[in-house]
Amino acid sequence: MDAVPATFTLSELWVLQMVVRHEHLQPWQGKWPISSVELNDRIAEAIWFCTNENQQEAAIILTRGDCYLIDALVPASAKDTDGKLVGKPILLKTYHVRSVLADGIEATAAESPEPPA
């Protein structure tokens, strides 16, 4: 599994749009990039969807690199334009994606473990 969807509210998407840029002015030497044209496009498409379809949230597909990029750029204290704290929820969603990518499976609350034989 290379990517996992994560659902963000429109407010969270606007915060992501503020920090996830499509280019980086300084040469970057690290393993994980701190800008992404692809992620910037996915965020823009999700905002466009929410706005045009009058939706309050949209799912975007995240890779491990996308999660690291968001982790590097979104502070836990990030707030939306109404002053609501959205940084922690954004980060928690990316941590969940990272966990799913590491384990390769995603459990849901509706699933129950098989009883021992």
Side-chain angles (χ1 to χ4, degrees):
M1 183 177 330
D2 295 332
V4 173
T7 302
F8 295 95
T9 67
L10 185 55
S11 294
E12 292 168 344
L13 289 166
W14 278 115
V15 169
L16 287 171
Q17 186 277 333
M18 284 189 285
V19 298
V20 177
R21 307 315 311 152
H22 50 82
E23 60 185 19
H24 187 70
L25 299 176
Q26 310 288 337
W28 180 249
Q29 301 295 322
K31 177 179 179 182
W32 301 100
I34 59 170
S35 63
S36 172
V37 172
E38 295 83 8
L39 181 56
N40 184 280
D41 284 344
R42 282 181 261 142
I43 293 166
E45 289 168 6
I47 291 171
W48 183 253
F49 167 78
C50 287
T51 303
N52 285 328
E53 300 296 326
N54 199 27
Q55 299 295 311
Q56 292 303 307
E57 61 184 27
I60 57 175
I61 304 296
L62 297 177
T63 65
R64 181 177 308 282
D66 295 334
C67 292
Y68 289 144
L69 184 149
I70 292 168
D71 191 39
L73 299 175
V74 175
S77 61
K79 296 181 180 180
D80 67 11
T81 55
D82 295 326
K84 180 182 172 196
L85 183 67
V86 294
K88 285 182 183 178
I90 289 170
L91 293 172
L92 288 171
K93 291 171 186 181
T94 66
Y95 299 160
H96 174 74
V97 168
R98 287 164 55 178
S99 174
V100 171
L101 289 170
D103 295 340
I105 56 170
E106 182 173 4
T108 65
E111 295 175 353
S112 60
E114 292 293 321

